[in-house]
Amino acid sequence: MKKLKLYFVRHGQTIFNKYNRMQGWSDSPLTEKGYADAHRAGARLKNIAFDAAYASDTTRAMNTANAIMAENAHEQLPIETMPEFREEFYGYYEGSDSAQAWFEALMPVSGKRTFHEFLEENPIAASKDAMKAADPFHDAENDAEFWDRLNRGFAQLMETHNDGDTILVVSHGTTIRSMAGKADPTLDITWGPQNGSINRFTLDDDVLHLDEYNNHGDEELL
């Protein structure tokens, strides 16, 4: 038996977030608010002694992770990249207006106009399959492809780390929302985690447990 304590933090606000653009494997810089999001998360986590720190290989995640670690009261760990914890890949719709992209992907299969409305009646897994089907190149990730990638990341963490280790991972909104929904199917994920929010999981061998979702208050976490 091996258990890892995982702190998944969503990156700070980016330009694409501000203008409501689809931002999967594409990237855009953190805004001034985005850097503030990152430093605020770091201040709240300052007393956590992490055994390792990771970020997806996007600049928005790396810059957020560096800001978090700069606030930490313990050893300043290097940030290692893990592309396995990237955001969902939206294929043809990368960089598109988010509302329009979700309308085009979800309306034909569900009659729902928005991602929020879709999630009120459908699992988030179905949105990934719908996005791939709508993509004229079919490059977007479906649910199976998405989870194959994430599961490789979890397997790497389990192989690399010791029982009881506490690990920081800076990742992305839909990725964290998908993890939370899978770990706790009763959770309301119609709203995603905010930029800079802290989400805690326990990885127990191959099973992911949700401990806390979308914590974005101002109190310090212990």
Side-chain angles (χ1 to χ4, degrees):
M1 294 286 291
K2 182 188 288 189
K3 289 185 180 182
L4 302 179
K5 188 174 184 179
L6 308 179
Y7 284 77
F8 267 77
V9 179
R10 186 185 177 194
H11 62 79
Q13 185 197 66
T14 67
I15 289 175
F16 273 19
N17 291 151
K18 182 177 181 179
Y19 299 123
N20 199 32
R21 314 297 290 187
M22 299 294 281
Q23 186 175 219
W25 290 9
S26 59
D27 210 2
S28 71
L30 294 180
T31 61
E32 183 176 345
K33 178 184 180 301
Y35 279 104
D37 292 336
H39 282 285
R40 186 177 303 112
R44 299 180 64 220
L45 294 169
K46 67 180 180 181
N47 287 322
I48 305 295
F50 292 107
D51 296 291
Y54 296 95
S56 87
D57 59 344
T58 60
T59 57
R60 63 189 187 273
M62 286 294 295
N63 287 338
T64 299
N66 282 317
I68 291 172
M69 195 49 58
E71 299 286 346
N72 200 267
H74 300 275
E75 180 184 358
Q76 297 297 294
L77 300 173
I79 309 299
E80 300 182 55
T81 58
M82 289 192 70
E84 292 83 3
F85 293 122
R86 286 180 184 174
E87 181 61 290
E88 176 182 342
F89 182 48
Y90 300 111
Y92 172 80
Y93 290 102
E94 290 278 329
S96 299
D97 175 81
S98 292
Q100 182 66 30
W102 284 119
F103 178 86
E104 292 182 13
L106 302 177
M107 188 70 176
V109 298
S110 68
K112 301 300 182 182
R113 294 176 176 271
T114 69
F115 191 35
H116 181 87
E117 289 178 357
F118 182 84
L119 292 179
E120 290 180 328
E121 298 182 7
N122 299 275
I124 195 169
S127 71
K128 296 175 176 58
D129 295 339
M131 183 64 69
K132 189 176 187 73
D135 178 358
F137 294 89
H138 300 298
D139 287 335
E141 286 182 307
N142 62 22
D143 189 62
E145 292 165 333
F146 174 84
W147 276 104
D148 181 66
R149 170 167 61 83
L150 260 67
N151 285 333
R152 292 197 303 270
F154 293 130
Q156 181 178 330
L157 292 179
M158 290 300 292
E159 181 179 349
T160 303
H161 293 286
N162 299 316
D163 180 43
D165 278 0
T166 299
I167 300 167
L168 171 70
V169 183
V170 177
S171 187
H172 304 269
T174 303
T175 296
I176 295 170
R177 192 193 311 214
S178 300
M179 290 168 50
K182 188 166 186 176
D184 181 1
T186 68
L187 181 70
D188 179 6
I189 58 167
T190 55
W191 298 105
Q194 293 189 19
N195 293 109
S197 65
I198 296 163
N199 306 266
R200 295 188 298 108
F201 298 86
T202 300
L203 186 59
D204 185 352
D205 284 338
D206 293 327
V207 180
L208 188 68
H209 303 276
L210 177 66
D211 301 313
E212 188 170 26
Y213 179 64
N214 195 25
N215 186 321
H216 52 82
D218 292 326
E219 72 279 6
E220 181 183 322
L221 295 186
L222 301 176

